[in-house]
Amino acid sequence: MEDTRNHSILIVEDEMIIALDIQETLKRLGCKRTSIAENGEAALISISREPPDLVLMDIGLGGSIDGIDTAEQIRSSHETVPILFLTSYSNTGIRSRASHIANSGYILKPYTSDMLWNAIHIALTERV
């Protein structure tokens, strides 16, 4: 079984308290390389400079592009980078918009650290 702890993870979250909490959770779980982007634009710049192994993407990002639009742009240039959507919205419209993005998953907030780590592990070990 592949060790997912040495992979790089980009956290795209516009609420810094939540982003830092996710980063701390990942560190506690042994993940050594994480970074944070506060909006879609910053995420795209970060990915163009150094593509991560996985993106944790808040769907409801502030800024000019939301998480789903950001993921679509990421997918167009980095098709094998897994994207896990994080959201507190569970309506079918949002799920439907997110579901067509290949190589992605969906985690509802609130989530436990075990749920987060299991989803990350699955996304990294099953990536194309």
Side-chain angles (χ1 to χ4, degrees):
M1 182 182 294
E2 182 180 358
D3 183 7
T4 58
R5 288 171 174 81
N6 290 318
H7 290 280
S8 62
I9 297 176
L10 175 62
I11 302 161
V12 186
E13 171 63 64
D14 59 343
E15 293 186 45
M16 191 51 66
I17 291 173
I18 294 172
L20 291 170
D21 182 61
I22 293 169
Q23 189 175 48
E24 273 306 306
T25 299
L26 294 175
K27 284 181 183 177
R28 274 195 316 275
L29 293 169
C31 185
K32 296 173 180 71
R33 300 183 316 155
T34 61
S35 57
I36 296 172
E38 292 185 65
N39 56 49
E41 295 87 350
L44 295 172
I45 290 168
S46 176
I47 288 170
S48 71
R49 290 183 181 151
E50 185 176 344
D53 296 310
L54 180 131
V55 176
L56 290 174
M57 177 75 67
D58 180 27
I59 286 180
L61 290 176
S64 61
I65 55 176
D66 69 9
I68 296 172
D69 292 334
T70 303
E72 288 173 332
Q73 290 185 41
I74 291 168
R75 185 60 59 237
S76 70
S77 58
H78 297 87
E79 61 189 39
T80 62
V81 175
I83 299 170
L84 288 177
F85 289 110
L86 304 171
T87 188
S88 52
Y89 306 110
S90 64
N91 72 48
T92 50
I94 290 174
R95 280 196 308 259
S96 175
R97 270 186 74 209
S99 68
H100 76 277
I101 298 175
N103 201 12
S104 64
Y106 195 88
I107 303 171
L108 278 177
K109 296 176 186 175
Y111 45 81
T112 66
S113 59
D114 285 341
M115 288 168 54
L116 183 63
W117 193 250
N118 286 334
I120 289 170
H121 180 77
I122 290 167
L124 286 171
T125 56
E126 293 183 358
R127 72 191 218 181
V128 229

